[in-house]
């Protein structure tokens, strides 16, 4: 009785959590219509939502190994897309013969020019003197701003920029340096490299910066005039870090110390690197998937899946009676569990992923059929319904476990070696199969043990008698 109660409580908690994740109000995909509006909490892939795919060659210097630079290119593009709010975009390496390219897929953008501007625009990284720090929910105004001429254009000297991690912390920065003969800026183009390391002289970790020869001279001038003051490093108007200048720095390299964790040091160095693409990108191909076409395809698949689900549910009720109805409940339970997990984990749903969901309908029903045949055997032997249910689940446990485990392992292998939307199939297959095992062995058992008196025992015992004649 205690185990039964635990199974019931776990089943209720799981389905409530899934419902919470699936129906939690979200501003994502609010433009979806038709069947897709019910999937507003799930991120949709390029093949469903529509969008743009661009593939680029890298313009490499002679002798440069593309394998050494592709990860940095992907990192830079990933940061740019995240900064622009396209967190569901996918940036991948594509190997074609002896060529290595980078592919960018952006759901929701069907205008190629807009996508190209987003990828091609340089995320500006620059250094600036920190004048003051304020805490505010909104951006403070700069009163009586000053102006300087940079590259023949008049620019505002001061601005407020937000901390990259704290939405309420604003830095008033002096964007241009006014030392020397004329104002100048110090941008990411002057930074050759940035990497994280352990601070062997003191505790903690550090970020090493290396500058170009021109940048080295500028940095020496800057640090010589800002000793004891804070110097912010800013990417896309977000302050990455704002260390204090301890001394005049010469030699073309610098260290940012006082960082507490290696993860923080790695993140800072990655963000500084992300400000500049290490190579020029040359567009190789482009493709646009219209949202209308994608919506038509997915609505057809969803309707076909729902029709198949309805047919299967009717079949189960006809052949298994009350147990068939329980199998239908388990099927709906697993479907909601899968959708809730997709919504809660921000996984991207693709067309192959939808196929994976429909496939799990079959695995869920298969599991219940195996269990029910075991229960029917126990009933034919004259066992009471509750005992038959318990024996049926116990005897079918390892058969279901082994069958589902092999499917999950196949899904893991597919996910590891596959790329693109095929991974979506592997994800939904793995989640759906694990959910199927849970609903078969826990949810179905909880319901049937509580309602075993509703099973038509005479039907199976009568069949056994007729077979024995």
């Amino acid at each position: 009785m205690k185990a039964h109660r635990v199974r019931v409580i776990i089943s209720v908690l799981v389905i409530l959590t899934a419902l919470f994740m699936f129906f939690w109000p979200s501003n994502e995909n609010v433009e979806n219509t038709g069947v897709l509006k019910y999937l507003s909490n799930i991120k949709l892939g390029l093949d469903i939502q529509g969008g743009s795919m661009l593939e680029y060659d890298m313009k490499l210097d002679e002798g440069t190994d593309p394998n050494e630079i592709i990860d940095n290119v992907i990192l830079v593009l990933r940061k740019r897309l995240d900064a622009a709010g396209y967190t569901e975009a996918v940036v991948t390496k594509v190997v074609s013969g002896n060529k290595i390219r980078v592919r960018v897929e952006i759901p929701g953008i069907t205008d190629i020019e807009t996508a190209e501007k987003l990828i091609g625009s340089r995320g500006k990284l620059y250094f600036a003197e920190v004048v003051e720090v304020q805490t505010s929910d909104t951006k403070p105004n700069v009163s009586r701003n000053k102006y300087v001429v940079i590259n023949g254009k008049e620019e505002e000297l001061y601005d407020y920029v937000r901390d990259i991690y704290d939405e309420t912390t604003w830095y008033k920065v002096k964007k241009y340096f006014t030392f020397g003969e004329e104002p100048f800026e110090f941008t990411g183009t002057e930074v050759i490299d940035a990497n994280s390391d352990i601070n062997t002289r003191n505790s903690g970790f550090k970020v090493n910066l290396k500058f170009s020869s021109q940048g080295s001279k500028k940095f020496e001038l800057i640090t010589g005039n800002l000793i004891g003051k804070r110097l912010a490093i800013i990417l896309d108007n977000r302050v990455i870090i704002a260390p204090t200048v301890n001394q005049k720095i010469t030699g073309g390299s610098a260290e940012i110390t006082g960082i507490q964790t290696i993860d923080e040091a790695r993140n800072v160095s990655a963000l500084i690197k992300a400000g500049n693409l290490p190579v020029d990108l040359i567009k190789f191909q482009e493709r646009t998937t219209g949202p209308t076409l994608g919506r038509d395809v997915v609505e057809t698949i969803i309707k076909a899946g729902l029709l198949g689900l309805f047919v299967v549910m009717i079949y189960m009720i006809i052949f298994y009676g009350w147990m068939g109805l329980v199998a239908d409940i388990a099927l709906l339970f697993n479907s909601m569990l899968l959708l809730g997990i997709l919504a809660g984990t921000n996984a991207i749903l693709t067309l192959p992923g939808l196929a994976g969901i429909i496939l799990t309908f079959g695995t869920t029903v298969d599991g219940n059929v195996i269990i029910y045949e075991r229960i029917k055997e126990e009933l034919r032997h004259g066992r009471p319904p509750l005992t038959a249910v318990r024996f049926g689940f116990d005897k079918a446990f390892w058969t279901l476990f082994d069958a589902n485990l092999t499917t999950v392992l196949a899904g893991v292998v597919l996910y590891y070696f596959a790329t693109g939307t095929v991974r979506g199939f592997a994800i939904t297959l793995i989640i759906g199969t694990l959910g199927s095992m849970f609903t078969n062995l826990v949810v179905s058992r909880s319901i049937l043990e509580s309602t075993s008196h509703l099973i038509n025992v005479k039907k199976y015992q009568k069949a056994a008698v007729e077979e024995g004649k």
Side-chain angles (χ1 to χ4, degrees):
M1 181 60 74
K2 185 178 179 181
H4 172 69
R5 188 175 301 169
V6 171
R7 281 193 289 268
V8 171
I9 292 173
I10 291 175
S11 300
V12 172
L13 289 177
V14 168
I15 193 60
L16 288 178
T17 303
L19 290 169
F20 175 79
M21 291 190 292
F22 185 70
F23 289 108
W24 178 255
S26 169
N27 293 325
E28 292 189 21
N29 303 321
V30 293
E31 70 280 3
N32 287 344
T33 58
V35 178
L36 291 180
K37 68 182 179 184
Y38 299 107
L39 302 176
S40 59
N41 273 3
I42 296 177
K43 290 186 175 180
L44 304 178
L46 193 70
D47 48 0
I48 295 178
Q49 190 178 358
S52 298
M53 187 282 289
L54 298 116
E55 197 167 303
Y56 292 92
D57 277 322
M58 296 184 292
K59 187 179 180 182
L60 300 170
D61 295 332
E62 188 174 352
T64 303
D65 184 357
N67 290 299
E68 295 178 354
I69 210 164
I70 183 67
D71 290 341
N72 199 13
V73 172
I74 291 174
L75 176 66
V76 172
L77 295 180
R78 179 75 267 166
K79 295 293 182 185
R80 288 181 180 181
L81 291 163
D82 288 347
Y86 293 98
T87 54
E88 71 278 21
V90 178
V91 185
T92 54
K93 179 176 79 172
V94 178
V95 179
S96 176
N98 59 353
K99 282 277 188 180
I100 293 181
R101 301 191 181 96
V102 59
R103 178 180 294 168
V104 181
E105 297 173 319
I106 314 174
I109 289 186
T110 55
D111 182 357
I112 286 289
E113 288 188 9
T114 302
E116 283 187 277
K117 286 178 182 176
L118 183 62
I119 298 167
S121 61
R122 300 187 68 82
K124 186 175 181 180
L125 177 80
Y126 66 99
F127 292 57
E129 177 186 348
V130 177
V131 178
E132 64 178 25
V133 181
Q134 287 192 23
T135 301
S136 172
D137 293 330
T138 58
K139 183 178 180 179
N141 293 320
V142 178
S143 59
R144 290 180 292 181
N145 207 339
K146 295 181 179 179
Y147 294 85
V148 292
V149 177
I150 301 292
N151 299 324
K153 185 178 178 183
E154 193 174 64
E155 303 280 358
E156 290 183 337
L157 182 58
Y158 297 98
D159 193 10
Y160 278 97
V161 288
R162 184 180 278 169
D163 188 274
I164 195 168
Y165 302 110
D166 187 351
E167 295 289 323
T168 62
T169 299
W170 293 88
Y171 293 80
K172 183 181 181 181
V173 297
K174 190 176 179 182
K175 297 191 295 180
Y176 305 101
F177 301 100
T178 54
F179 323 121
E181 297 178 355
E182 56 184 27
F184 66 94
E185 61 181 342
F186 193 90
T187 68
T189 57
E190 312 289 3
V191 182
I192 296 175
D193 193 19
N195 60 74
S196 57
D197 201 356
I198 299 172
N199 190 346
T200 54
R201 290 195 299 271
N202 299 301
S203 61
F205 302 87
K206 64 179 182 177
V207 172
N208 298 312
L209 302 177
K210 189 175 180 182
F211 305 108
S212 64
S213 58
Q214 185 68 26
S216 176
K217 295 175 184 175
K218 289 183 179 178
F219 202 69
E220 181 178 341
L221 181 61
I222 292 168
T223 53
N225 284 275
L226 293 182
I227 295 174
K229 297 181 179 178
R230 297 180 71 181
L231 184 65
I233 303 176
I234 301 161
L235 176 64
D236 289 332
N237 290 322
R238 294 277 185 153
V239 174
I240 300 171
I241 194 168
T244 300
V245 178
N246 295 321
Q247 61 186 25
K248 182 178 181 179
I249 297 174
T250 60
S253 61
E255 293 179 350
I256 303 173
T257 58
I259 299 174
Q260 300 301 316
T261 67
I262 186 61
D263 287 339
E264 183 183 356
R266 285 174 178 163
N267 201 28
V268 169
S269 62
L271 288 170
I272 293 174
K273 281 184 180 179
N276 300 299
L277 269 173
V279 293
D280 290 331
L281 298 180
I282 302 170
K283 188 168 65 178
F284 174 72
Q285 65 170 324
E286 63 184 39
R287 188 177 72 226
T288 301
T289 301
T292 302
L293 177 62
R295 188 180 301 117
D296 289 344
V297 172
V298 75
E299 286 193 3
T300 301
I301 291 176
I302 289 176
K303 288 175 181 175
L306 291 175
L307 178 61
L309 181 66
F310 178 75
V311 172
V312 169
M313 292 173 73
I314 295 297
Y315 172 87
M316 291 299 291
I317 292 175
I318 291 174
F319 282 87
Y320 291 96
W322 173 250
M323 292 195 295
L325 185 60
V326 173
D328 293 344
I329 295 172
L331 189 56
L332 296 175
F333 188 108
N334 189 32
S335 301
M336 182 50 63
L337 177 60
L338 199 158
L339 293 175
I341 292 175
L342 288 177
T345 58
N346 289 324
I348 297 175
L349 181 61
T350 61
L351 286 177
L354 279 175
I357 292 176
I358 294 173
L359 182 61
T360 59
F361 292 168
T363 59
T364 306
V365 172
D366 285 349
N368 277 309
V369 168
I370 292 172
I371 294 168
Y372 293 169
E373 290 302 319
R374 290 284 190 179
I375 293 175
K376 284 165 64 177
E377 286 181 14
E378 300 301 326
L379 291 172
R380 291 190 189 105
H381 291 152
R383 299 192 192 281
L386 182 57
T387 304
V389 168
R390 289 174 176 169
F391 278 25
F393 275 96
D394 290 343
K395 290 181 178 178
F397 178 85
W398 286 112
T399 302
L400 285 177
F401 183 84
D402 291 342
N404 287 309
L405 181 62
T406 54
T407 305
V408 170
L409 290 176
V412 170
V413 172
L414 183 63
Y415 179 83
Y416 184 78
F417 288 102
T419 59
T421 56
V422 178
R423 279 191 164 186
F425 174 80
I427 289 173
T428 53
L429 180 66
I430 293 169
I431 297 174
T433 304
L434 291 174
S436 166
M437 192 157 54
F438 175 78
T439 53
N440 287 336
L441 299 175
V442 178
V443 178
S444 295
R445 180 165 184 165
S446 302
I447 298 174
L448 278 179
E449 284 189 355
S450 302
T451 62
S452 58
H453 59 283
L454 297 177
I455 298 174
N456 188 354
V457 180
K458 292 180 179 178
K459 174 183 175 183
Y460 303 113
Q461 290 179 342
K462 182 180 177 182
V465 171
E466 291 176 350
E467 288 174 3
K469 286 182 178 178

